[in-house]
Amino acid sequence: MANDPHSIADFRDLARRRLPRFVFDFIDGGSGSENTLAENRRALDRIRLLGSAPTDVSDCSGAVTLFGRRHAFPAIIGPTGLAGAAWPRGDLDLARAASASEIPFVMSTAATATMEEVAAAGDGAKWFQLYLFKDRKVSKRLVERARTLGFRALEVTVDNAIPGRRLRDARNGFSLPFRWTPAKLASLALHPAWSLRMARAGAPKLEVMAAELGLQQTDTIAELMQSQLDGSVGWEDIKWVRDTWDGPLIVKGMLDPGQVSKALEIGVDGLVVSNHGGRQLDGAVATIDILPEFRAQAGSDLTLLVDSGFRTGSDIARALALGADAVQIGRATLYALASGGEQSVRRALAILKAEFEIAQMLMGARTLSDFDASMLRPSRSLATRETGRRTHDPSPENGPLSLVAGERQGALP
Ligand SMILES: Cc1cc2nc3c(=O)[nH]c(=O)nc-3n(C[C@H](O)[C@H](O)[C@H](O)COP(=O)(O)O)c2cc1C
């Protein structure tokens, strides 16, 4: 139907219409001036794909194996706290949709469902995202529960030592529980379907954190995180997690390729190159721009994941060509969740998968291992953007984008 969503951008439009402003802004917003939020998109848009026709692409597979399990395409639903604000108990819808689409789901420590409920939602691969709390006993208990409940991988988020300043949330007075100012009440009246769903289901609650920490539900999310999370997390703490968890261990939130050697030393299995979707360090580098340096440092042993700004299947293809094994999805599936629960998330994943397969075939990659940086070029507008001078000659003599940024003139900045 003409009004059906056909892209993640369509889902974002729907979410904007269907959510009260303060909830949409919580999901959609970034930190500070939202410079990094915008840069994540700009950086992806700057990269052009080389079509490979004519190449025989009649027999292609987009399947990926991550930590011993095969998945339908190289995407993962990443951890997003407070998903229940988009749709009641939305974590379960996300988990079921990921299962049905044969990709992993990462449950957030700040989920609005219990670990038991998520573990039972669909038979797909579930990973657990761990925050390191000041009280290390809490983190240890979460690791033990993750193991008992069959979560297959642990993803430790390290870029949240202090919460980023989310100005939209501050301006909207976003808090937990929601405080009903006149502006918010007016917003409720304009979004009766969301209001009715929340009235029926009850306000979203951070189930895991509330159960473990006995939280006062009066804290704002930023206050809550700041009061509970350990701001002193370093590699010795990741080593502690390594010694506590014997399954696949992933570190999420790295932007400094110089630290990859530490991860290798400790025996970490995977990294997520992430700027938290532009929600933490404002002004941070776009992840797609730094990704090649991570692959160069990591060699072929580490599983390299990336997130922040990915909205289309050809964005995923760009990441694979620059060294990622798969892409974590944040807002894209949250917009879909807000639009219509599990069915909409399934549709969003089907759209991303179809878009990825089209890009894969037209780029001539029969399997994921065929992707490489020779399939990319920076756009001309990028090359002339700031100085007015061309910094990259996209002619064949000058070669493709380099896998190591900065290795030669013409690499992505
Ligand atoms: C509403 C929202 C909540 C999030 N909550 C968490 C969280 O609890 N833990 C975490 O590690 N990352 C969290 N993130 C960050 C995402 O995992 C991911 O890094 C980011 O959304 C990727 O960018 P994208 O939204 O542009 O895809 C959250 C992101 C959003 C948008």
Side-chain angles (χ1 to χ4, degrees):
M1 281 188 340
N3 288 332
D4 281 347
H6 293 284
S7 66
I8 299 304
D10 288 350
F11 275 117
R12 180 172 181 270
D13 286 345
L14 272 179
R16 186 168 36 205
R17 290 206 295 275
R18 293 188 180 168
L19 291 173
R21 169 80 184 265
F22 70 99
V23 179
F24 178 77
D25 276 349
F26 164 68
I27 292 170
D28 194 62
S31 59
S33 62
E34 300 196 338
N35 176 297
T36 297
L37 178 71
E39 180 64 6
N40 283 333
R41 276 307 325 158
R42 280 196 297 262
L44 282 161
D45 288 338
R46 286 197 290 256
I47 301 169
R48 294 279 155 264
L49 311 175
L50 280 193
S52 73
T55 303
D56 176 1
V57 286
S58 52
D59 186 18
C60 277
S61 165
V64 63
T65 299
L66 297 170
F67 308 116
R69 185 156 170 168
R70 200 175 149 90
H71 300 286
F73 75 113
I76 298 152
I77 296 191
T80 50
L82 205 62
W87 192 267
R89 307 174 65 63
D91 314 81
L92 305 179
D93 296 277
L94 291 168
R96 283 190 288 258
S99 283
S101 311
E102 295 173 56
I103 63 166
F105 170 70
V106 193
M107 175 182 184
S108 164
T109 297
T112 48
T114 66
M115 292 174 75
E116 286 74 12
E117 289 169 323
V118 171
D123 55 7
K126 314 279 181 359
W127 303 354
F128 185 73
Q129 176 263 317
L130 182 75
Y131 279 127
L132 287 174
F133 291 100
K134 286 180 179 152
D135 180 354
R136 209 38 66 81
K137 288 199 290 298
V138 172
S139 303
K140 188 157 195 283
R141 272 202 303 276
L142 291 178
V143 173
E144 279 159 7
R145 285 173 68 195
R147 182 186 299 115
T148 311
L149 289 165
F151 285 86
R152 297 175 64 87
L154 199 64
E155 196 166 295
V156 184
T157 298
V158 294
D159 61 359
N160 225 356
I162 182 167
R165 294 189 68 224
R166 315 254 169 91
L167 301 191
R168 294 199 218 177
D169 290 351
R171 291 185 181 118
N172 292 333
F174 188 89
S175 63
L176 267 189
F178 304 144
R179 279 190 206 106
W180 297 114
T181 58
K184 286 210 199 74
L185 288 169
S187 182
L188 282 193
L190 292 171
H191 301 90
W194 183 90
S195 308
L196 199 64
R197 273 197 298 277
M198 289 296 151
R200 283 205 193 107
K205 185 171 158 208
L206 303 183
E207 294 284 356
V208 181
M209 293 177 67
E212 287 292 342
L213 302 162
L215 295 171
Q216 299 289 315
Q217 287 284 304
T218 49
D219 293 318
T220 64
I221 292 182
E223 282 167 5
L224 181 76
M225 290 300 181
Q226 197 157 13
S227 66
Q228 301 296 339
L229 295 187
D230 186 350
S232 70
V233 169
W235 284 106
E236 62 289 359
D237 302 280
I238 306 298
K239 168 95 173 55
W240 173 82
V241 182
R242 177 68 292 177
D243 295 341
T244 314
W245 168 262
D246 49 12
L249 177 64
I250 305 161
V251 175
K252 171 176 185 276
M254 287 177 64
L255 289 172
D256 173 9
Q259 300 224 32
V260 172
S261 57
K262 304 271 188 203
L264 288 166
E265 261 167 46
I266 286 173
V268 165
D269 302 289
L271 302 177
V272 189
V273 181
S274 172
N275 57 36
H276 220 99
R279 293 164 79 82
Q280 285 295 103
L281 177 63
D282 188 36
V285 64
T287 54
I288 196 74
D289 285 346
I290 202 75
L291 175 65
E293 292 186 47
F294 271 85
R295 179 49 87 196
Q297 295 296 320
S300 53
D301 289 348
L302 271 182
T303 298
L304 197 54
L305 310 176
V306 63
D307 75 13
S308 300
F310 292 81
R311 301 287 182 269
T312 69
S314 48
D315 291 340
I316 298 174
R318 287 168 167 91
L320 264 67
L322 287 171
D325 292 301
V327 168
Q328 278 195 181
I329 307 296
R331 294 181 186 83
T333 35
L334 283 182
Y335 296 138
L337 180 68
S339 307
E342 180 186 339
Q343 290 311 319
S344 293
V345 180
R346 282 190 192 212
R347 184 173 170 94
L349 292 174
I351 290 169
L352 285 174
K353 180 166 184 276
E355 288 176 346
F356 174 71
E357 286 169 354
I358 292 167
Q360 176 183 357
M361 290 179 82
L362 295 180
M363 290 165 79
R366 289 193 186 85
T367 67
L368 302 197
S369 53
D370 290 339
F371 278 99
D372 68 44
S374 70
M375 298 167 156
L376 308 178
R377 294 288 186 276
S379 74
R380 262 169 202 273
S381 55
L382 158 71
T384 53
R385 190 170 49 109
E386 266 145 18
T387 59
R389 278 186 303 118
R390 223 161 75 173
T391 55
H392 175 66
D393 177 1
S395 65
E397 301 82 68
N398 200 39
L401 285 176
S402 168
L403 246 183
V404 180
E407 182 185 275
R408 80 169 87 133
Q409 199 185 9
L412 272 184

